[in-house]
Structure formats: structure tokens, C-alpha cells
Amino acid sequence: MKRDMSKYEKVRGSLDTGDIVLFSGTGFISRMIQTFSRSIWSHVGMVIKSVDWDMILLWESTTLSKIKDIESREQTQGVQLVPLSERVKCYANDKVAFRILEGVRRDENMREVLRKFRQDMKGREYEKSKFELLKAAYDGPFGANEEDLSSIFCSELVAEAYQRMGLLMDNEEME
């Protein structure tokens, strides 16, 4: 099936490291995430504008393994770095949204913090516990999670990256 890439092609030139991409999946797990989070979105990843590979990449944690990770050159699940254009092709065009990080200077310090965190997360498995996934979408008595990055889901990866880059406060800083 040929996918309409016009939305991606229109925004591609303005994408930079730290921007996020939201996806709306149609599989069982995606539908569960959408139901419990009361959102149309079921997946998120972070844009990495790579000078090394001269391309726009998506850093994500996912169970999808049809695209080869750019660094390991293997199809894998969990934390991976893939060409953004390839991931966008996996979704119908109206099921992808781009959120540009505005008003933030992406300096070398921020990029270095992200590079180190990416190295720490390389090869991590996707969240093993479905219960942890559900707890993350629920703000009730079972919603309080202890941070455990031994396995990680997509929004947890992006949120932790934003915290380390100084773009998002963690819960302890907000209290």
C-alpha cells in the first residue's frame, strides 16, 4: 500500500533534534493505550537530526521491528534509532503529527546530554510489564510509578530525555 508522505515532506525541513512525533496505531496494544490514556495517540518518538548519517531519524522505544536500527543495522524491539521517513510510512498520513519544540535553544550542552542518555538507553527492551504501561496512563492510586528504566516504553523514554535536557521537570521537582 502506498502511503501519502506529503505531510512529512512539508514539515521535514523544519524538524530538529528534540521535536516529537506522535503516532496513532490500529493494533490491539495501540487501541488499549488510546482507551486508557483517552487520546488518539498511541506512540511517540523524538526527532534526532543526525549530522553523522545526514538524515532525520526517530529515536523511539517500540514493539515494532520491521525497520533496521541505524546503529545496530538489525531489526529489533525496544529502544531504537530509525529513519523517520521509514517509520512514517508505517502509518497512514493522517495518523502522524509533528510537534516542533519552539522557544528552546538547542545548544551543544543539550545535545551532549541527549547523546549520553541515548548511549545509556541503547539496546534497552520495550517495557516488559503491561501493568506498568496501564499504570502510566492512569492517575489513580495505582498510577504512582517508581522509576525503572531497565525496560522502557515510548513516552517514558521521551519524558526522561526531556527531563535530562532540562526541558521538563520531574515529579519530585514539582512538589
Side-chain angles (χ1 to χ4, degrees):
M1 170 190 277
K2 185 174 167 117
R3 303 286 184 182
D4 179 6
M5 297 286 287
S6 60
K7 187 187 294 182
Y8 171 67
E9 290 166 1
K10 187 183 293 186
V11 73
R12 184 184 189 282
S14 61
L15 293 174
D16 200 355
T17 298
D19 296 337
I20 62 171
V21 186
L22 299 160
F23 300 90
S24 183
T26 57
F28 177 74
I29 297 293
S30 293
R31 292 287 185 214
M32 283 188 61
I33 292 168
Q34 292 163 343
T35 299
F36 281 95
S37 66
R38 295 181 304 265
S39 172
I40 65 168
W41 308 113
S42 58
H43 182 57
V44 63
M46 179 185 288
V47 171
I48 303 292
K49 188 173 183 179
S50 172
V51 179
D52 297 334
W53 288 287
D54 191 29
M55 65 175 65
I56 304 293
L57 301 165
L58 183 71
W59 187 47
E60 62 183 345
S61 183
T62 182
T63 57
L64 300 174
S65 60
K66 295 178 182 176
I67 303 171
K68 288 183 180 180
D69 176 270
I70 198 85
E71 294 172 311
S72 71
R73 294 189 167 100
E74 294 183 18
Q75 292 176 328
T76 186
Q77 293 185 349
V79 176
Q80 55 187 285
L81 189 62
V82 299
L84 177 56
S85 61
E86 293 299 309
R87 181 60 71 219
V88 169
K89 286 178 189 175
C90 296
Y91 290 82
N93 196 44
D94 62 344
K95 302 286 186 174
V96 178
F98 302 92
R99 298 296 182 255
I100 306 299
L101 183 60
E102 296 179 345
V104 174
R105 185 169 175 269
R106 295 160 200 189
D107 60 19
E108 193 53 41
N109 181 55
M110 187 175 87
R111 291 178 193 276
E112 181 61 18
V113 166
L114 180 59
R115 187 194 66 73
K116 286 179 181 176
F117 181 54
R118 283 187 40 236
Q119 289 302 312
D120 290 346
M121 292 293 105
K122 190 184 287 188
R124 295 283 168 99
E125 294 180 358
Y126 187 78
E127 180 61 58
K128 297 175 203 166
S129 169
K130 301 305 181 227
F131 184 63
E132 290 298 319
L133 283 170
L134 295 177
K135 280 182 13 179
Y138 180 67
D139 290 331
F142 301 110
N145 288 321
E146 289 293 320
E147 187 171 276
D148 175 8
L149 302 178
S150 61
S151 61
I152 191 164
F153 56 93
C154 60
S155 58
E156 187 178 31
L157 180 71
V158 172
E160 184 68 24
Y162 267 34
Q163 287 173 3
R164 292 187 184 209
M165 293 162 41
L167 302 174
L168 181 68
M169 291 187 297
D170 65 18
N171 289 339
E172 292 170 5
E173 292 174 325
M174 292 171 33
E175 293 174 352

